[in-house]
Structures are given as structure tokens and as C-alpha cells.
Amino acid sequence: MSHPTHLLGFPRIGARRELKTLLENHWNGELDEAALLQGAKELRQRHWLLQKGAGVALSPVGDFSLYDHVLDAQLLVGAAPARFGFDPVALSTAQYFALARGNAAQPALEMSKWFDTNYHYLVPEWRADTAFAAQPERLLSQLREAQALGVAAKPVLLGPLSLLWLGKTKGRPFDKLSLLPGLVAAYRELLAALAGAGVEWAQIDEPILALDLPPAWLDAFAPTYAQLRPDAPKLLLTTYFGGVAEHAGLLKALPVAGLHLDLARAPEQIAAFLDDYPADKVLSAGVVDGRNIWRADLSALLARLQPLAERLGERLWLAPSCSLLHSPFDAAAETALDPELKGWLSFSVQKLNELRTLRRGLERGRAAIADELAGSDFAVAQRRASPRIHNPAVAERLAALPAGADGRASPYPVRAELQQAWLKLPPLPTTTIGSFPQTPAIRASRAAFKKGELSAADYRQAMEREIELAIRRQEALGLDVLVHGEAERNDMVEYFGEQLAGFAFTAGGWVQSYGSRCVKPPLILGDVSRPGAMTVDWARYAQSLSAKPVKGMLTGPVTLLQWSFVRDDLPRGEVCRQIALALNDEVLDLEAAGVRVIQIDEPAIREGLPLKRAERDGYLDWAGRAFRLSSRGVADTTQIHTHMCYSEFGDILPAIAALDADVITIETSRSGMALLADFAHFRYPNAIGPGVYDIHSPRVPSAGEIRALLDKALRVIPAERLWVNPDCGLKTRGWSEVEAALTTMMRVSRELREELAQDA
């Protein structure tokens, strides 16, 4: 009895981040368009052949993107934002990148987090008059490539309701659902084109089903899919990132040929689907975790799958829980990793093998995979018993915390007055978020140090020169609160994880964050503690260079948790509190060293919010406690900052206020300060620095643009609580554009200060 395996998506960056290299060489002018497109073609073809060799019955086509799959979905239906003036029928590669990165005339599309992941998608822009027309050629071109290789292809489309939901309305207010008829007509054309190209199965993703959708949106599913069915291939409707049991009746009745369920995130939901499951539908079981890197417990999974196989027969398909976009490429490449730890890991290539093993076990019996089961059982037992995992002192410290340990001594107004007494900041104080450009010289020094080609003393001198350069440039610009620039840091998470007990690191465990930006999440495998100071010497040195305050820079506990691959044997809240206490040791040491402005970045706090409202209060409680634990015990005169980016904050503003940071900086430039409406309505009580410079684009903003953003901010934030800063860290930018943008930011800030003084 056959149980086909398939994938919802595959890492597009390549085994060695080839896509990153292609993109950045093209953007730098070192690679022409033809070479870029040829390199991308070779990369995705290599991936299809890898999947074919691993026995994948249906490989995804259309999941590969030069920048973002949501942007690609917009373009498939001819919905390029009108403000760019591009013809969607004849959109060039340069215009495609202008949508993603901005150009001289227009800022880039806004970014937001892809559900509760660290992937950033480009937000569609909908206007009341948005028109749709299918543009299938790019997808058909990739389909023909796969067919020419003899690959059994399954085109992947982001579903119409999810695409519509993920976008934002522009212009006059209107109901997004009013655009659905035109959008469905474009999808019908797309699906008809796929059927005409010989496609048997098409995957259509509706991840919004894992959310708490309004009734009108749920009611739209049945008529939408009834309209899509007539000219379409067989449709596999996929859900992921959470359970959809509450929609079981709706989904079983939809006119689709199969459903995919995320049984890694929500294994219990299967019970709601088995009763009366339609005899004409496939059920795709997403049992291999697409979002974590721990080796699957094959014995346990096989035991769960066998009853499903007996009940569904060949209608049971096997898959990862979601796209493998969120998983690194191949653990076999980790030649320097400790063999015991390596044996616990499963990256994308290993997940293909896990699927193949489970399929063989279902089709031929446990004896046929006895060796694989034995290896899996050994790894699971070894990891459970390993002394790497448990440190009793960490649990004892958490248990001994007194009640109220996570609170500041005085309320914000008292603290703010004490802090201003020594900071003596002007109105609209200016700062940056933390990092400055990671130049080729910095990266070369770090690489030479890691290879042993540069001594520790010489490396330190090189980094101190970079820190001094950053301090001097900030002083020349006139910034009020400085940063040391983070030259010594490879990554805002990896840098800290390398110095904390309980973390481990890979050499090539990269995943895509957006475009060419890749991150290498640490592994949290055991109890977390801080063996020694991590940033104090660098911060002390930076502060010695200037009479102005220099911020100590830390990554917060929630972000260290969210942007890591986390152990699965403890509740995430407990792991987060462990990290918070380790960071608190660092905060208190920074304060003792004379660093009295400390930023604890939490860009991931909204990202970690559960998709279901019923689960949110519990998360916000432990996340808030963890943040406050990280700064517990500091004096009222020590100013605590935090930073958050690319998130919708409106529904969690009480929890953000409860963090009780003295200053919060947020991303707002791409959204045109739209986020501030939520802060104004809520009457956010502490200081806010809304970003006025989009650092994710090479575009340098004009003085008029920065002034317009600050004018909007001043309408909702009192001047005495308004800070001026970029959206995020400047690590990925070049010094020329950074200095140009910050010079403009400072000039506008000084002009506004003068006007405020005159008004006063």
C-alpha cells in the first residue's frame, strides 16, 4: 500500500547560501541579470533532483523565490502596487527588486513577520480599485523546468483568502473582502493554466485558517473554493503553524481533493478529522517538524501513523508539518560538530530521509526499517539522559526568586525625572538602534581570528579601532545617545548564545530571514546560565571614548528564545526565564561598570504571540516576566531601552506597556507611522522612538520624508517623550548611505527642536 511523500516547500537559499551570493553580487553590479537568473535556475533544479533522489513523490514548484513568496503571489495575480507605476505584464527583474527594496521614487513594500516565524514577508497593498489578472508565465516556466528533469511537480500557490488577508488597505477605507471576486477570477485563470500544462495536483496554502478568523472570512471559503474547482487540477489545501480542528466540518466539506494538517504543532487535531473523513479526499499528515532541528522519534511517529494508515489506506500522504523554508539545509555538512550532538539533529535533507523511512515502515512493516528505528531510539534516549541537558543550579535559582522579583523600584515618571537629571538630553533626543556597518574589514578580521590567523590581542585592537571609529562618527553627526556599533558581534543572537551555557552552534545551519538576509539560529539544548561577562569590557571601552552616554546593547530573552531552535523537553516559558536570569547578571555588571543606558532588544516579542487568542494571555505573561527579570535590580537612574520591529502591536499594547521599558523604539517608516495610531489610542505611557529611516532598503530618505514622519509622530506622542532614530540596526548598510541618512535625520531633528523652542 503506497503512502506518497511530498513537501510543502524547500529551502531556497541553497546548501551554501548560493542564493544570497547571487543576489548580493547582482545588486552590487558584479553579476548581470542573465547570470543571476541562470544561477537561480541551476539552484532550484539541484533541489528538485535532490528531492527526487530522496524518493519524494511530489516536489513543490513555485516555492522558489528571488526575494519573497508573498510578493511572487501578488505578481501572479497582476497586483503590483500602483504607486510604483509598473506594468505587471512586463515586470522586469529590476522592477521586481524595486518593489522589495525601494527605489529613488518610492519606498519598498512594508515588511511583516510571516505568522509566528522569523521570516519577513512583503505586505501586499490593496486599494479599493485594485484589479487582478492572472500572470502565470513565471510559474509555468519553473513547472516546465521541473517536468524536463522528470520531476513529479506540484505547483504551490498561496491561497486567495490568505493572500488577501495578509495585505493592507491603502487609500480610502474599504472592506478587503470586496476584492475577492476579482481575485478569485484571477486564481481560476492560474489554475486553468496549470491544468492545461498537465498538472495533476496543485498545492494551495491557506495558513490563515490557524488564526481566529472573523465569521465573514470563514464564510468565504466554501463559495471561493466552489468557484476555483471547475477548471483546476486536484487541489491539496494546506494548513500549518497550528491546529484547525474547529474548522474540521468546513474543511472536510470543501470541494478540494485533499487536506494537509500540521500534526507537529497540533497533533491532537487529527481526532476532529477522522470521523466521517470524505472517502474521496487525501489526508496529508505533517508529522515531521518543519520548524525545529531535532531528530524525529521515528518509533513514536510510526506508532501514531499506523492507525491512520489502516483507516485511510493510500489516501494517507506523508509530509513535513510546513515548508522546510524554516529549516537549515543539511546536517551532514556539520563536520566539526560534536558527534553526539550531531546525532540529535535533522535538517531539511535529513527530514527527507525521515519521511522516506516512515513511508517504508508503513508500506513494508517495522522490520524493513529496523536499523533506522534503532538509530532513532538510541539518539532519543541519549539526548534525554545526556548531562548536557540539565543543570540543577539553574532550576534552583528560578525556584528561589521572590514574589515581585520582576518589577522596577519606582514608576516610570519618577525614573524619567531622575534619568533626565544626569542625561540632560535635548528635546527629541537622537540615537540609533545598535549596530553600524559590518564592513569587509570587520568580517575579515573576525574570520582570521576564528581561523587562528589573528591573535586575540590583535583582534581586540582591530575591534577597538572599529568601535572608536563608530563613536567618533556619531559624535561628528551630533547624536545624543551613542552606541558602540557592535563590530565584535557576528549576529545579535549567535554572539550571546556562544557565551551562554546551554547553547550550541552549527557551522552551516542557515535559514532565510528575508531576501538575501540569512540567520544561523543557535540550538538551545540544555539549561541556560552565564559563565562570565559577555559585553562589559566592550561597553566600558566604548564609554571611555565619549562624555556622551553610550548604550550597553543586549539581545532580550524572548528574542534569544524565538530566534533559536529550542529544546522540546521543557515549556518555552521556563527556558525563557532561564535566559532572562542569565541576562540579568550581564545587566547588573554593565550598570556596575558605569553603563547607565542599557538596551535589551526584543524584536521577536510579537512574533512569539500564539496564533490563537485563547493561548495569548499565558504567553504574554511569561514573556513580560522574562523581560522584566532581565532588568531586575537596576537603579531608577539606569535607563532601560528596548527595540521591536516589523510587527503589529495594536492587540498587545497593554503587554508592551507592562514591559515597563523607559524607552521603546519601533519600526514605523515603511508603514508611514501607521503603527502609532495604536499607541495613541492606547495612550502609551513611556517614551517612544518611532523609526524614521528604513534600514532594510539601500534608499536614503529625504529631509521631507523624515520631517513628514516626525510631524505625524508629534501629533500622537508628546515631544518630551519622543525619540528620533532609524528603524533598526545599521549592520547591513554601507557607511556612505548610513552617514547620509543620519545627517539628514539630525538636520531635521535640530530644525524641529528650534521650532519647538520657539513655540514654547
Side-chain angles (χ1 to χ4, degrees):
M1 186 180 297
S2 173
H3 297 287
T5 60
H6 72 105
L7 307 180
L8 279 66
F10 197 71
R12 49 202 183 221
I13 59 173
R16 294 177 296 279
R17 292 183 291 163
E18 294 93 329
L19 181 59
K20 175 184 176 69
T21 302
L22 288 168
L23 289 171
E24 293 181 354
N25 286 347
H26 175 66
W27 295 337
N28 292 335
E30 300 170 13
L31 195 71
D32 64 21
E33 179 181 344
L36 167 69
L37 297 180
Q38 180 61 29
K41 177 180 178 180
E42 292 172 0
L43 187 59
R44 59 178 172 261
Q45 291 183 352
R46 194 181 313 152
H47 295 170
W48 287 327
L49 292 175
L50 173 64
Q51 295 164 39
K52 183 179 179 182
V56 174
L58 285 172
S59 289
V61 171
D63 60 320
F64 184 93
S65 174
L66 284 176
Y67 202 97
D68 170 51
H69 60 274
V70 180
L71 173 59
D72 294 355
Q74 299 172 62
L75 299 177
L76 278 173
V77 293
R83 63 183 171 90
F84 283 86
F86 298 156
D87 179 1
V89 178
L91 191 81
S92 68
T93 302
Q95 290 172 333
Y96 175 87
F97 289 132
L99 295 172
R101 307 176 75 229
N103 60 21
Q106 291 291 337
L109 290 171
E110 184 180 346
M111 279 183 176
S112 191
K113 292 293 180 71
W114 177 246
F115 297 87
D116 59 351
T117 76
N118 187 30
Y119 179 80
H120 302 65
Y121 74 94
L122 291 164
V123 179
E125 295 180 1
W126 307 134
R127 303 184 70 88
D129 60 353
T130 296
F132 302 99
Q135 305 294 331
E137 183 50 39
R138 292 190 185 202
L139 181 57
L140 292 174
S141 176
Q142 291 190 25
L143 176 64
R144 290 190 290 268
E145 290 175 20
Q147 291 170 334
L149 294 172
V151 171
K154 171 169 55 66
V156 175
L157 297 171
L158 180 60
L161 285 153
S162 290
L163 176 60
L164 198 56
W165 175 273
L166 292 168
K168 286 188 175 181
T169 59
K170 301 292 180 179
R172 66 173 178 82
F174 70 98
D175 182 0
K176 285 190 288 188
L177 278 175
S178 66
L179 298 177
L180 188 58
L183 182 58
V184 169
Y187 269 81
R188 286 191 64 169
E189 292 182 54
L190 285 175
L191 291 168
L194 293 176
V199 169
E200 181 183 6
W201 281 91
Q203 174 183 317
I204 192 156
D205 295 353
E206 292 286 9
I208 63 168
L209 283 162
L211 305 174
D212 296 312
L213 291 175
W217 286 80
L218 286 172
D219 291 344
F221 272 87
T224 293
Y225 279 84
Q227 293 176 67
L228 294 181
R229 180 179 184 178
D231 302 319
K234 295 177 183 178
L235 294 181
L236 178 69
L237 187 144
T238 63
T239 66
Y240 41 83
F241 299 156
V244 293
E246 65 273 29
H247 308 315
L250 166 67
L251 295 177
K252 287 189 286 188
L254 285 182
V256 295
L259 300 174
H260 171 85
L261 303 176
D262 184 338
L263 299 181
R265 272 291 182 94
E268 71 288 345
Q269 68 175 316
I270 190 62
F273 286 87
L274 287 181
D275 289 341
D276 302 320
Y277 193 74
D280 61 347
K281 278 186 173 57
V282 159
L283 192 147
S284 168
V287 290
V288 171
D289 192 344
R291 290 184 56 178
N292 216 331
I293 43 69
W294 305 112
R295 186 169 174 170
D297 185 341
L298 294 177
S299 292
L301 290 182
L302 191 60
R304 286 170 49 197
L305 286 168
Q306 283 171 328
L308 300 183
E310 292 167 4
R311 190 156 181 172
L312 297 169
E314 293 187 351
R315 292 184 296 129
L316 176 66
W317 290 10
L318 305 179
S321 58
C322 61
S323 171
L324 295 178
L325 170 72
H326 311 288
S327 178
F329 202 91
D330 187 2
E334 301 296 328
T335 55
L337 201 61
D338 177 270
E340 180 185 56
L341 176 55
K342 183 177 177 180
W344 300 347
L345 302 182
S346 174
F347 293 178
S348 293
V349 170
Q350 286 69 44
K351 293 179 192 299
L352 302 185
N353 294 329
E354 289 173 344
L355 286 173
R356 177 165 53 184
T357 299
L358 290 169
R359 186 199 70 213
R360 288 175 54 227
L362 290 176
E363 294 174 356
R364 304 181 192 177
R366 298 180 72 91
I369 57 169
D371 290 345
E372 291 91 336
L373 290 177
S376 172
D377 291 345
F378 175 79
V380 169
Q382 184 189 55
R383 181 174 161 225
R384 188 178 295 127
S386 173
R388 298 171 185 258
I389 305 300
H390 301 292
N391 178 356
V394 174
E396 292 167 5
R397 186 181 181 193
L398 273 176
L401 284 174
D406 58 330
R408 295 288 296 270
S410 301
Y412 168 75
V414 173
R415 302 197 309 265
E417 186 174 344
L418 293 171
Q419 291 160 14
Q420 179 62 11
W422 74 267
L423 281 166
K424 297 180 174 57
L425 295 172
L428 309 182
T430 56
T431 189
T432 64
I433 304 305
S435 59
F436 273 105
Q438 289 268 319
T439 63
I442 291 174
R443 293 194 293 270
S445 294
R446 185 181 301 119
F449 176 57
K450 287 191 172 183
K451 293 175 184 176
E453 299 168 357
L454 193 67
S455 71
D458 288 342
Y459 175 70
R460 183 168 189 88
Q461 287 181 359
M463 294 302 100
E464 286 182 348
R465 286 194 297 271
E466 298 292 344
I467 290 170
E468 183 171 8
L469 174 67
I471 294 291
R472 299 298 173 229
R473 286 185 168 182
Q474 291 172 83
E475 288 184 323
L477 287 164
L479 287 156
D480 300 303
V481 175
L482 313 185
V483 297
H484 79 291
E486 303 179 15
E488 80 288 359
R489 302 185 189 183
N490 45 9
D491 175 82
M492 66 180 293
V493 173
E494 185 173 3
Y495 175 80
F496 291 97
E498 286 177 335
Q499 301 180 79
L500 291 169
F503 282 73
F505 289 84
T506 63
W510 297 96
V511 292
Q512 187 179 26
S513 180
Y514 63 87
S516 68
R517 171 72 171 149
C518 300
V519 294
K520 185 155 59 70
L523 320 180
I524 302 179
L525 57 91
D527 291 332
V528 177
S529 61
R530 187 196 73 148
M534 301 179 287
T535 67
V536 175
D537 285 347
W538 299 111
R540 183 189 289 116
Y541 173 73
Q543 186 60 81
S544 74
L545 298 171
S546 179
K548 290 186 173 184
V550 180
K551 285 191 286 188
M553 301 297 306
L554 304 175
T555 301
V558 178
T559 300
L560 284 171
L561 179 88
Q562 284 295 127
W563 291 359
S564 299
F565 292 116
V566 185
R567 62 191 292 187
D568 52 8
D569 61 329
L570 274 185
R572 291 173 70 87
E574 185 173 344
V575 178
C576 197
R577 287 191 294 274
Q578 291 181 0
I579 300 170
L581 286 184
L583 290 174
N584 183 239
D585 293 338
E586 187 74 9
V587 168
L588 295 177
D589 281 354
L590 283 168
E591 185 182 55
V595 178
R596 299 167 64 193
V597 180
I598 301 172
Q599 183 168 308
I600 305 172
D601 284 338
E602 285 291 22
I605 200 162
R606 176 62 174 79
E607 170 192 313
L609 191 70
L611 302 182
K612 304 289 189 188
R613 291 191 188 94
E615 301 169 6
R616 292 182 176 182
D617 286 348
Y619 162 77
L620 291 170
D621 178 68
W622 64 250
R625 287 178 182 273
F627 179 86
R628 293 189 299 273
L629 278 175
S630 67
S631 62
R632 76 185 186 106
V634 298
D636 286 344
T637 50
T638 295
Q639 190 174 75
I640 298 295
H641 291 227
T642 191
H643 172 68
M644 300 176 186
C645 58
Y646 296 111
S647 292
E648 301 296 336
F649 298 118
D651 53 352
I652 63 166
L653 274 175
I656 293 178
L659 298 178
D660 201 22
D662 297 302
V663 182
I664 177 175
T665 53
I666 56 174
E667 176 278 325
T668 51
S669 67
R670 282 200 181 190
S671 65
M673 294 280 173
L675 288 174
L676 286 186
D678 293 326
F679 283 82
H681 179 74
F682 176 72
R683 296 182 182 273
Y684 184 78
N686 298 10
I688 309 177
V692 297
Y693 162 31
D694 174 20
I695 66 85
H696 292 87
S697 169
R699 183 176 178 275
V700 175
S702 68
E705 289 169 325
I706 292 177
R707 175 62 190 255
L709 291 172
L710 284 172
D711 284 342
K712 286 183 180 181
L714 282 165
R715 294 187 197 119
V716 297
I717 303 170
E720 63 271 17
R721 290 195 282 113
L722 178 63
W723 285 60
V724 181
N725 45 261
D727 270 345
C728 201
L730 299 163
K731 169 181 179 178
T732 60
R733 304 268 56 92
W735 269 112
S736 60
E737 60 192 275
V738 163
E739 289 193 299
L742 293 182
T743 297
T744 304
M745 185 184 88
M746 292 303 303
R747 184 170 72 251
V748 173
S749 300
R750 284 190 286 266
E751 291 170 356
L752 268 172
R753 286 174 188 168
E754 292 174 3
E755 292 175 18
L756 289 171
Q758 291 171 2
D759 292 342

